[in-house]
């Protein structure tokens, strides 16, 4: 299929490009590089030996979207382009609504104008909010606790309404848990622009000496070791889920959410220990207060994805940490290395 990938130069998008091309799909990227660098696509092209058409532009720009749609004629769109920092979303709510909701709306209008009816959407487990029960299944109440989570939920609802009104339309809503890890080549990976908000890139930067110590945000949660537990998923498994979702969208209409996680969960201390095993480097830690808005634990029930998409996660925790280390140690300054 011809697949337009918005935000394709980002962390998850770049890994997904490689999986798409490996399965014979033709890809085109639209990215405004607010959180990426063109070097990403240079490396993706080198790794795949494949053609990646790319457009520099904003997903909120109707004229740019029309240009891409007319030139590339996509049969499906994977929509990664968006903002993802939970803390920043509280400080800049309108910016988050503009990009995450407004961007999705502009994209849907452009798809309608072009007659494109298949969309795979990057949603998030944050749409669930405080757990009423765990693991979360897709029927769990959705009461997000951050602006970021609300932008994802509103975009999901918009997609549900769009798919219901458009005969033949398909919207696959992928609710990602915690993506970590990197491509096996060590050439592409996660490259946060500022101080990492997330655990794994922070640990990786401590390991290469860019940060002195990991702050452990609370050790008095109701978990076995007191630190927060999350369902970490290897980014290559996550990328594969998009290929499965594309296949699903070819034969199914309507909108459907899917949890994309492993069903396992690991604590902060588990992650530090696993990273030390992979890297042979000791990670200094210091105890810090709980981070506002954090929950004790979250975990996916991913049985729907297995049953309906034919997808499940294959990579272990040790593969997540080893690939992160391979990427970070070879590229201590990310794509500027
Ligand atoms: P990322 O920031 O690496 O990638 C997003 C890409 O979109 C970047 O290349 C950025 O330059 C581009 N972009 C941002 N705004 C744009 C705009 N207005 N127009 C065009 N391009 C734009 O993030 P990621 O981790 O790859 O996440 C991809 C998607 O998955 C996001 O929508 C994010 O909310 C969602 N998601 C991520 C996580 C995670 O932990 N990484 C978890 C759940 C959901
Ligand atoms: N965490 C931490 N120190 C950090 C970053 C994260 O202790 O510097 C903890 C955080 O409190 C949570 C877990 O690591 O329990 C995962 O955090 P992350 O931000 O990666 O994912 P999210 O909380 O958004 O699911």
């Amino acid at each position: 299929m011809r697949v337009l990938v918005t935000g394709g130069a980002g962390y998850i998008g770049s890994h997904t490009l490689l999986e798409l091309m490996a399965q014979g799909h033709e890809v085109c990227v639209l990215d405004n590089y607010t959180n990426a660098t063109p070097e990403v696509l240079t490396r993706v092209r080198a790794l795949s030996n494949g053609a990646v058409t790319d457009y520099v532009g904003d997903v909120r720009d109707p004229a740019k979207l029309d240009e891409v749609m007319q030139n590339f004629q996509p049969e499906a769109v994977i929509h990664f382009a968006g903002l993802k920092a939970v803390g920043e979303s509280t400080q800049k709510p309108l910016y988050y609504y503009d990009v995450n909701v407004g961007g999705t709306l502009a994209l849907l209008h452009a798809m309608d104008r072009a007659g494109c009816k298949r969309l795979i959407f990057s949603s998030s487990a944050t749409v669930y909010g405080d757990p009423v029960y765990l693991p979360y299944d897709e029927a769990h109440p959705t009461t997000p606790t951050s602006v970021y989570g609300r932008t994802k939920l509103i975009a999901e609802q918009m997609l549900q309404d769009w798919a219901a009104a458009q005969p033949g339309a398909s919207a696959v809503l992928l609710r990602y848990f915690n993506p970590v890890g990197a491509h096996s080549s060590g050439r592409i990976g996660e490259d946060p622009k500022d101080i990492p908000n997330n655990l794994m890139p922070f640990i990786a930067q401590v390991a290469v000496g860019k940060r002195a110590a990991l702050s452990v945000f609370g050790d008095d949660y109701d978990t076995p070791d007191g630190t927060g537990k999350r369902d970490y998923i290897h980014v290559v498994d996550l990328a594969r889920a998009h290929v499965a979702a594309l296949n699903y969208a070819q034969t199914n209409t309507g909108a459907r959410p899917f949890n994309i996680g492993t069903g396992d969960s690991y604590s902060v201390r588990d992650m530090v220990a696993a990273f030390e095993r992979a890297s042979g480097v000791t990670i200094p830690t210091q105890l810090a207060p709980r981070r506002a808005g954090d929950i004790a634990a979250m975990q996916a029930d991913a049985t729907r994805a297995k049953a309906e998409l034919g997808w499940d996660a294959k990579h272990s925790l040790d593969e997540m940490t080893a690939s992160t280390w391979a990427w970070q140690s070879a590229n201590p300054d990310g794509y500027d290395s």
Side-chain angles (χ1 to χ4, degrees), residues 164-181:
Q166 281 276 358
S170 182
V172 188
L173 317 174
L174 300 182
R175 294 176 174 165
Y176 311 157
F177 280 68
N178 289 60
V180 296

Side-chain angles (χ1 to χ4, degrees), residues 65-85:
L65 286 167
D66 285 345
E67 179 193 340
V68 176
M69 295 283 173
Q70 274 157 26
N71 291 345
F72 185 65
Q73 306 266 325
E75 294 155 282
V77 179
I78 303 182
H79 182 36
F80 292 108
L83 305 171
K84 61 172 181 177

Side-chain angles (χ1 to χ4, degrees), residues 178 197-200 202 214-217 228-230 232 268 291 294-295 298:
N178 289 60
N197 296 307
N198 296 114
L199 178 66
M200 187 69 126
F202 201 105
L214 172 74
S215 295
V216 176
F217 297 147
K229 291 184 77 178
R230 296 290 182 274
Y232 296 95
V268 175
R291 186 171 63 179
D294 267 359
I295 57 175
M298 66 154 84

Side-chain angles (χ1 to χ4, degrees), residues 6-14 30-37 40 57-61 79-85 95 98-100 103 121-126 148 151-152 174-180 190-191 193 198 235 238 242:
T6 75
Y11 171 46
I12 304 168
S14 55
L30 172 67
D31 202 299
N32 68 356
Y33 296 99
T34 48
N35 198 34
T37 150
V40 176
D58 197 297
V59 77
R60 293 165 294 175
D61 178 350
H79 182 36
F80 292 108
L83 305 171
K84 61 172 181 177
Y95 179 42
D98 199 34
V99 175
N100 290 1
F121 179 62
S122 294
S123 190
S124 166
T126 58
Y148 168 69
T151 66
K152 288 291 176 187
L174 300 182
R175 294 176 174 165
Y176 311 157
F177 280 68
N178 289 60
V180 296
E190 185 168 16
D191 180 19
K193 278 214 158 100
N198 296 114
V235 66
L238 179 54
H242 294 79

Side-chain angles (χ1 to χ4, degrees), residues 271-284:
M271 296 305 283
V272 170
F275 203 93
E276 288 179 335
R277 269 198 312 275
S279 63
V281 177
T282 300
I283 307 295

